[in-house]
Amino acid sequence: MAAKRVYYFGDGTADGDASMKNLLGGKGANLAEMNRIGIMVPAGFTITTEVCTEYYRLGRKMPGDLNDEVEAALAKVEKSMGAKFGDPANPLLVSVRSGARASMPGMMDTVLNLGLNDTTVQGIINKTGNPRFAYDSYRRFVQMFSGVVLGVDGEHFEHHIDKVKSARKVKLDTDLSADDWKEMVSAFKAIVKKQTGKDFPDEPRAQLWAAIGAVFSSWMKPSAITYRKLHDIPADWGTAVNVQSMVYGNMGDDSATGVAFTRDPSTGDHRFYGEFLINAQGEDVVAGIRTPQQITKVGKDLQGSTLPAMEEVMPDLYRQLCDAYKKLENHYRDMQDLEFTIQQNKLWLLQTRTGKRTAKAALKIAVEMELEGMITKEEAVARVDASALDQLLHPTLDPAAKKKANKMAVGLAASPGAATGMAVFTADDAEAWANNGKKVILVREETSPEDIHGMSAAQGILTARGGMTSHAAVVARGMGKPCVSGCGEIKISGKKFTAKGTTIKEGDWITLDGSTGEVIEGQIATLPAELTGEFGTFMKWADEIRTMKVRTNADTPADAAQAIKYGAEGIGLCRTEHMFFEGERIIAVREMILASDEAGRRKALAKILPMQRGDFEGIFKEMGDRPVTIRLLDPPLHEFIPHDAKGQEEVAKVLGVSPDEVKSRVAGLKEFNPMLGHRGCRLGITYPEIYEMQVRAIMEAACNVAAQTGKALVPEIMIPLVGYVKELASLKEKCEVVIQEVLKEKKSNLTYLIGTMIELPRAALTADVIAKEAQFFSFGTNDLTQTALGISRDDAGVFLTEYVAKGLIEKDPFVSIDVEGVGQLIKMAVEKGRKARPGIKLGICGEHGGDPASIMFCQQVGLDYVSCSPFRVPIARLAAAQAALSGGKKGSSSTA
Amino acid sequence: MAAKRVYYFGDGTADGDASMKNLLGGKGANLAEMNRIGIMVPAGFTITTEVCTEYYRLGRKMPGDLNDEVEAALAKVEKSMGAKFGDPANPLLVSVRSGARASMPGMMDTVLNLGLNDTTVQGIINKTGNPRFAYDSYRRFVQMFSGVVLGVDGEHFEHHIDKVKSARKVKLDTDLSADDWKEMVSAFKAIVKKQTGKDFPDEPRAQLWAAIGAVFSSWMKPSAITYRKLHDIPADWGTAVNVQSMVYGNMGDDSATGVAFTRDPSTGDHRFYGEFLINAQGEDVVAGIRTPQQITKVGKDLQGSTLPAMEEVMPDLYRQLCDAYKKLENHYRDMQDLEFTIQQNKLWLLQTRTGKRTAKAALKIAVEMELEGMITKEEAVARVDASALDQLLHPTLDPAAKKKANKMAVGLAASPGAATGMAVFTADDAEAWANNGKKVILVREETSPEDIHGMSAAQGILTARGGMTSHAAVVARGMGKPCVSGCGEIKISGKKFTAKGTTIKEGDWITLDGSTGEVIEGQIATLPAELTGEFGTFMKWADEIRTMKVRTNADTPADAAQAIKYGAEGIGLCRTEHMFFEGERIIAVREMILASDEAGRRKALAKILPMQRGDFEGIFKEMGDRPVTIRLLDPPLHEFIPHDAKGQEEVAKVLGVSPDEVKSRVAGLKEFNPMLGHRGCRLGITYPEIYEMQVRAIMEAACNVAAQTGKALVPEIMIPLVGYVKELASLKEKCEVVIQEVLKEKKSNLTYLIGTMIELPRAALTADVIAKEAQFFSFGTNDLTQTALGISRDDAGVFLTEYVAKGLIEKDPFVSIDVEGVGQLIKMAVEKGRKARPGIKLGICGEHGGDPASIMFCQQVGLDYVSCSPFRVPIARLAAAQAALSGGKKGSSSTA
């Protein structure tokens, strides 16, 4: 016996159910399910995805006995709806839609009102007493059918409608009469004849089969094939066809149509929420021509609406709708987004799906549903999009105030959150004004490391140039400060800037929305981040579930304190180079770089030592006994020296050398590809004295703080950019000498770890031998991505966006780990590392450490922890919990 | 029973043999072997390497019963040599040497004359009647023993000798008398007492055991440990100790000493060759104080020597020596380098080892030994160092002429071979002078792509700046032209340069030795490359043996022709960008780059099309039906535009745009890390029209040449810098469109291949999916090394040399494939590629393709071919044969 090909649904029964998505497609399975739980859905049937495959196997022909099954199902539909397909007196009209396993662009969408012809249209007129409605429906059908089934260009019809309108001297479709539409039907059919050489099919069954065939054919349209290729969807999945009775909300004042959410999608409040229109079609609600009415009285009051609520004017139907929504929410165990139609006092549900919601609502709904006993903690934690959590962690602009404001310009949304302050144009001004208690926004063409103190003093940063990975953007994200970067619309000159005719002078108030990239004139009220009680409850659940630790990337005591507030359990990456720029020390750093020999360098390093020690003491004090991984100097030395003549002259003056000497040293340090140049441990090898100073500063600080606080500090010293195990072995040996010296001097028996970044393909490939020398690995996925893909992040803008746009890559590999390529290297390094040194501590400190998809990958390969910027710590905690729920394995070490 | 610890050798017998290297060390095994085949070697014994291990196991103590075995062996030695160790009347003196499995720096070298003291020295005086000889030997012993066994700094002794000489008012050691040396012995012993606090050991057995202990101890000296670490030699291998009787060639006119080669090590001629001195010690031959005599009469005649040959003055001993050398060469089946001593009419062989030889001699000897039936073809092919073959492929300077010449300066030996010509200082001059039939040397501060035509016209290139990988060096090697680069000693100003006081003006003759880096004044005679009959025979054998094909990297018809002459079987890499610089086309290329839109680019590309087609036609004609792989445009566009203001102004003028426009476009193209920037297939994706033009040029050229010649051309189109399979798939699709157009236009059914470079780690990691779209892979190991190691080749100079010097890496990874890291990626890509597409064609086109060690690796992983610059093709052919002999597997495809 051949497999069943057609699945009926209607009248609270269905041949299929929600579990049959592969066979019935997502839409068909859902329609069946709604019927099964007793929701009134217009009857219909689903032709299975297997028939699609059969159709192609037969050379684009329908299987012979499909007709019988369709006729049998159609008979059931007719009985359910009390109308007959093609019947002149009481015609049944249907919609035909495609429905694959997953929603898929490129597939045939919808044909409505199928079954209409010059005869049946009279039946509709008789039934509704509304010829305009009937002919409007008829012409819509001809238009849609001709477009999606017969492939006639829609412009022909639009063009004709315009002609008629201009002849009638009217502007809107609604101004056309029944007769206008009636004439239009004939004209449309003539267009079809001219374009296709064939008559428009009048026979309802011919229409039906043509539509079914069109759905199947659309499966092999080039756009669908391309989409499947891009998303690895096999061609043999096929699509189902859904044929469903039409119902109408525009059959009089006993008819209506509406949309509703089972809870408030904006706040998450537990109240039924929605709008409806009497005597209207679904599209009228969306079109906004008429003002919709609220469904509940509460809603009416909250909105201050003067129109009666459905609860008031259709109390019976309202009760039916309430029954339905509760049933649906209980059944699907999540907030639902419903569409319904009331046709002559009968309620039909047309669709239910999981409702979209704000991050705030998602969190509230998840927590409340758990408390209601509807879902488990695990489900609650799984429900909230980790990335969206970002919205809750930053102040936002008051929407009401924002609506009225003057939006001057839009740049890149480089670092989220809202900030308001007075415009200043130099870093020094920012610092000075802030010291005087003023709130400032730092406005620059672009920022450089010399601006750090000003960025730190400002509420937010606005730059005219630079992308999402520019200095301003990266540093602002690290600081958790709002930033709009690359805002080409603003023209800065001296201490003012202009955009769209508005000029902002120094001291004028401006507001930035770093989540949208908007630059707004004046002082706009901001709402603080709402880390409400639900947030705390929710994050506690996430922490109970996750198995990976979450650390932070922090370079200063302030960052460290912020991260702890957000739940960080340690520092995964403390960069020592940012400290080099602060205050006086940059002078000593430059002196060190410009020294002509080791003695000169050591002299300058001796000046830096106490400052670095102080930095580390501050961080250790903040972190208590949480682990702190400190990376030794990484960037090439030329980053610390100005590259312009004026800056070089200043340096020369301060250091008492000739400008030519500075210039020549800078020229000597110039590199073709600095990313692949003399940096990381390569500096440590050629200038061992630098690392010696840093290790001494770390160990002295650790001993001092441990002595003061009595906490069991375990500093983790990290050597960057290792490619050869011998680099690590050689530097480790040198570090050990200094460490032992300090421990002896301080009479301390402090423990410590020495490990390495894995940020070069060679390091990952030889992780087994490297692990013999390393007590921990931290995956530096920024550089690992740059090298594995051969893509400079700073230069990728011109082609990477085009790659994403053309579908060559799905996600920016600098945002989300390239699992297929870089992921292999990480996996390899994890396996080789653990094999060579069981219990080796493994973490990630690239920016990917705060990206949920990447965190999922980290869980899968079994890392012990992820580390990210302070403001992403809650996101990482949630993402780690979700990753644990999805079944990734736990790392080997429990002390990360 | 304990294992035998001491192995005796002497009198034509030996306990050990050549197979026992692990136990006896290399030296000990060889001494045993010589005895076994009846060569007279001074008797002695070897203490095994196992004893060394035992010594350390016992806490640096000798095993108890070692003494008995040593005494037994010593008794045999005494019997053999007719003297007794420590005997006052007839003392036996011995040497003590270390001898590990492999020769190893850091180990104790030699103590000679051991057994001397104030008593035994009288025995030597009595035996020789030569007190000066006796005391000189004595003080040498004290000096050596104190240094290597007692660890006394040699400077103390040298200092004392100088003091005595100056007191005696003499300059040379030879001016000192027996009494002087006698006094010196006492003084030396006093120094030892002062430095070590102990008396110098006078008892011969105490001396012997101290020396044996010193050899064992030297196994654990830091320098030896470091060396073992670097070369992965296990500590438990241990070292053997060789104790051997001393013999002397300076005991009168019946004594002599000499060195000899069984064939001429310079020419390879099959004649016994060597020198000797009567009444002399080995070191006298080397020291050059006395003029040595030839061993054979033929040698005497060839050298024009007036001194009698050994063949004449010691005919009996000469015959004995001939018997010995023949026996040794036959036994070792290779040319031997011998040391011998005649002590009072008795011939002793002290050493035999495989003789060092020139490349020319190596080749000749290998071929002749095969013809003599001494070795097989395979052995002959294995015998010649492939790298050394380079010497035979370039003209060389006439050594006699060179000796007398004025060497002005030395730079880097950037591209081998000798060239002589008139100095010119611009590329245009070089071209103009060459067109007038003059030979020129192009002298530049450094070269840039604009100089290509001048480099091409010159005999050789000299630059003041730039390293081994500078533009001049890379291009010259590619052209096979001699080049001296980075010669900082020359100061160029205008059209002249100066070095060491000599000034060379335009038109003055200079000569370059690109193999040594020398710059020589005047016109020096060069000898042409001698690709003699033996060379042809030898390369034929290599070709019979090898399984990998050898292709060449060639961008011009001239390169292609040259490579074919050297045996290239195809082109593995034809770079299209070098063509972009030639003549008029650079203008069109710049027009294309500066165009503001696609239409503008297409207009400029239309001008380039016929020129590129012409390029390819030329190459296809040269190559006949050999495969030709053409790489589409790879470098970033900014490489084609001048970066200085003047150059930009010129471009602006030629193209009729404003200099600011050029400047701004150049600024827009600037990249932080161009190596990882907008290049390779990324250009193809963003500017598809460039690749379309190139593919059209390739296919039109192929069709035209195939039609003219009737040869079955199969162009191989190569897409560079692929990281994602979708890049390749997308570009391949676009190429196919153009290809089908051309084939239709040309009514051709030419076949072709489309493949990719594997030069990014991600490409290697995902080679399985990439292979589904690629018909061949070519490993671009230059970029693969840069990315896998995260090292920019252009910037690595400052640290990579230090890495090699410090032993962190063994070989420059840009010269020889980093097997441990990059090698893993290649292996992975080969396996994944073959699995996904059996029979996929696999080759290498990085500069490693001409490096013998890398070629060995290519054989091991099973590549189908290697490709290298034309002048390295013979080296690659030989290296491939040697790789095949060493047992690598053959590639899957036989049509590479």
Side-chain angles (χ1 to χ4, degrees), chain A residues 676 727 762 792 803 818, chain B residues 676 727 762 765 792 803 818:
Chain A
L676 308 176
E727 293 171 320
R762 194 184 196 281
S792 161
Y803 273 35
D818 160 41
Chain B
L676 308 175
E727 293 171 321
R762 193 184 197 281
L765 291 161
S792 161
Y803 274 35
D818 160 41

Side-chain angles (χ1 to χ4, degrees), chain B residues 655-666:
Chain B
L655 298 182
V657 296
S658 77
D660 274 354
E661 209 175 315
V662 175
K663 201 178 146 195
S664 123
R665 182 76 176 128
V666 172

Side-chain angles (χ1 to χ4, degrees), chain A residues 722-723 756-781 784 788 817 819 821-844 857-858 860-864 892, chain B residues 765 824-825 828:
Chain A
V722 163
T756 185
M757 305 270 285
I758 300 287
E759 52 185 335
L760 296 175
R762 194 184 196 281
L765 291 161
T766 62
D768 42 356
V769 289
I770 291 178
K772 293 204 181 117
E773 298 287 347
Q775 292 174 289
F776 62 87
F777 284 170
S778 178
F779 289 96
T781 47
L784 191 59
I817 285 177
V819 172
V822 175
Q824 276 193 56
L825 289 173
I826 296 175
K827 204 156 168 278
M828 198 180 291
V830 166
E831 285 163 8
K832 290 185 174 196
R834 283 241 166 82
K835 202 167 168 195
R837 183 190 283 263
I840 187 171
K841 200 183 277 194
L842 302 174
I844 178 175
F857 173 79
C858 292
Q860 282 161 356
V861 297
L863 297 196
D864 296 309
S892 70
Chain B
L765 291 161
Q824 277 193 55
L825 289 172
M828 199 180 290

Side-chain angles (χ1 to χ4, degrees), chain B residues 46-285:
Chain B
T46 305
I47 305 174
T48 69
T49 57
E50 288 174 355
V51 179
C52 182
T53 314
E54 227 176 328
Y55 172 80
Y56 282 103
R57 203 166 48 232
L58 297 172
R60 302 200 177 219
K61 285 208 182 85
M62 301 292 170
D65 38 4
L66 180 62
N67 189 55
D68 295 346
E69 282 195 61
V70 166
E71 285 298 333
L74 194 56
K76 282 195 192 174
V77 175
E78 288 170 334
K79 192 172 161 225
S80 165
M81 302 303 290
K84 277 189 92 70
F85 192 59
D87 187 84
N90 182 23
L92 171 74
L93 302 185
V94 298
S95 65
V96 177
R97 291 181 171 95
S98 70
R101 286 195 206 183
S103 130
M104 218 180 90
M107 293 291 297
M108 196 191 89
D109 192 21
T110 307
V111 178
L112 298 176
N113 304 333
L114 187 140
L116 276 172
N117 56 27
D118 292 346
T119 314
T120 53
V121 73
Q122 292 303 331
I124 299 295
I125 293 171
N126 294 341
K127 270 172 84 172
T128 60
N130 189 341
R132 193 188 176 284
F133 160 72
Y135 280 110
D136 187 18
S137 300
Y138 191 7
R139 71 91 192 177
R140 279 174 201 264
F141 161 63
V142 176
Q143 219 175 326
M144 274 176 139
F145 187 94
S146 302
V148 300
V149 179
L150 305 178
V152 177
D153 191 334
E155 279 196 13
H156 296 294
F157 305 116
E158 296 298 340
H159 188 69
H160 187 79
I161 295 176
D162 288 345
K163 244 170 49 186
V164 174
K165 277 195 215 162
S166 104
R168 301 280 180 283
K169 298 196 166 58
V170 300
K171 285 208 166 150
L172 298 176
D173 283 9
T174 43
D175 296 333
L176 293 172
S177 67
D179 283 345
D180 289 336
W181 290 126
K182 189 179 173 183
E183 279 176 41
M184 215 92 84
V185 168
S186 308
F188 284 5
K189 288 189 178 175
I191 289 171
V192 170
K193 173 82 191 205
K194 191 176 162 201
Q195 294 295 322
T196 66
K198 285 182 191 161
D199 287 322
F200 186 89
D202 280 331
E203 213 289 301
R205 276 181 169 71
Q207 294 171 356
L208 179 63
W209 284 106
I212 294 170
V215 170
F216 287 153
S217 294
S218 72
W219 182 249
M220 286 296 174
K221 279 207 300 199
S223 54
I225 291 173
T226 303
Y227 183 87
R228 283 201 297 274
K229 235 183 182 172
L230 287 174
H231 294 83
D232 292 324
I233 297 176
D236 65 4
W237 276 12
T239 180
V241 183
N242 295 294
V243 178
Q244 191 178 16
S245 326
M246 296 293 303
V247 288
Y248 299 93
N250 53 351
M251 282 195 169
D253 287 345
D254 58 353
S255 299
T257 190
V259 295
F261 292 85
T262 60
R263 304 192 181 205
D264 189 318
S266 170
T267 62
D269 286 345
H270 191 168
R271 60 182 191 87
F272 190 44
Y273 170 94
E275 297 173 334
F276 82 115
L277 277 174
I278 289 175
N279 195 15
Q281 281 191 304
E283 60 198 59
D284 298 334
V285 181

Side-chain angles (χ1 to χ4, degrees), chain A residues 145-365:
Chain A
F145 187 94
S146 302
V148 301
V149 178
L150 305 178
V152 177
D153 190 335
E155 280 197 11
H156 296 294
F157 305 116
E158 294 299 340
H159 187 69
H160 186 78
I161 295 176
D162 287 345
K163 243 169 54 185
V164 173
K165 277 196 216 163
S166 107
R168 298 281 181 285
K169 298 196 168 59
V170 299
K171 284 206 169 154
L172 298 175
D173 284 8
T174 43
D175 296 332
L176 292 171
S177 68
D179 281 346
D180 289 337
W181 290 126
K182 187 176 175 185
E183 279 176 41
M184 215 90 82
V185 168
S186 311
F188 283 6
K189 288 188 176 174
I191 288 171
V192 170
K193 174 84 191 205
K194 190 172 164 208
Q195 293 296 322
T196 67
K198 286 182 191 157
D199 287 322
F200 186 89
D202 279 330
E203 213 288 301
R205 277 182 169 70
Q207 294 171 355
L208 180 61
W209 285 106
I212 295 170
V215 170
F216 286 154
S217 295
S218 72
W219 181 250
M220 288 295 175
K221 280 207 299 200
S223 54
I225 291 173
T226 302
Y227 183 87
R228 284 201 296 274
K229 236 183 181 173
L230 285 174
H231 294 83
D232 293 325
I233 297 176
D236 65 5
W237 276 13
T239 179
V241 184
N242 296 295
V243 178
Q244 188 177 18
S245 324
M246 297 291 305
V247 289
Y248 298 93
N250 54 351
M251 281 196 171
D253 287 345
D254 57 354
S255 300
T257 189
V259 296
F261 292 84
T262 60
R263 305 193 181 204
D264 188 318
S266 171
T267 62
D269 285 344
H270 192 170
R271 60 183 192 86
F272 190 44
Y273 171 92
E275 299 173 335
F276 82 117
L277 277 174
I278 289 175
N279 194 16
Q281 283 191 304
E283 61 198 57
D284 299 333
V285 182
V286 184
I289 298 165
R290 287 166 55 190
T291 305
Q293 297 160 249
Q294 290 294 308
I295 289 178
T296 64
K297 281 191 284 192
V298 176
K300 178 185 151 192
D301 295 344
L302 280 173
Q303 294 279 324
S305 171
T306 55
L307 299 169
M310 181 180 178
E311 190 175 352
E312 295 166 317
V313 293
M314 291 176 156
D316 273 359
L317 288 160
Y318 172 74
R319 266 189 300 277
Q320 285 176 39
L321 185 58
C322 285
D323 290 348
Y325 99 71
K326 285 174 190 162
K327 199 183 266 183
L328 284 167
E329 186 177 275
N330 276 317
H331 184 70
Y332 287 103
R333 301 166 59 248
D334 202 351
M335 188 264 269
Q336 295 293 299
D337 168 359
L338 313 172
E339 287 179 25
F340 64 90
T341 285
I342 294 164
Q343 179 178 310
Q344 295 168 320
N345 276 325
K346 183 154 186 180
L347 173 70
W348 299 99
L349 270 287
L350 299 183
Q351 177 162 287
T352 188
R353 58 185 171 191
T354 301
K356 292 208 190 315
R357 63 204 83 178
T358 63
K360 193 174 157 186
L363 195 137
K364 184 171 177 133
I365 291 169

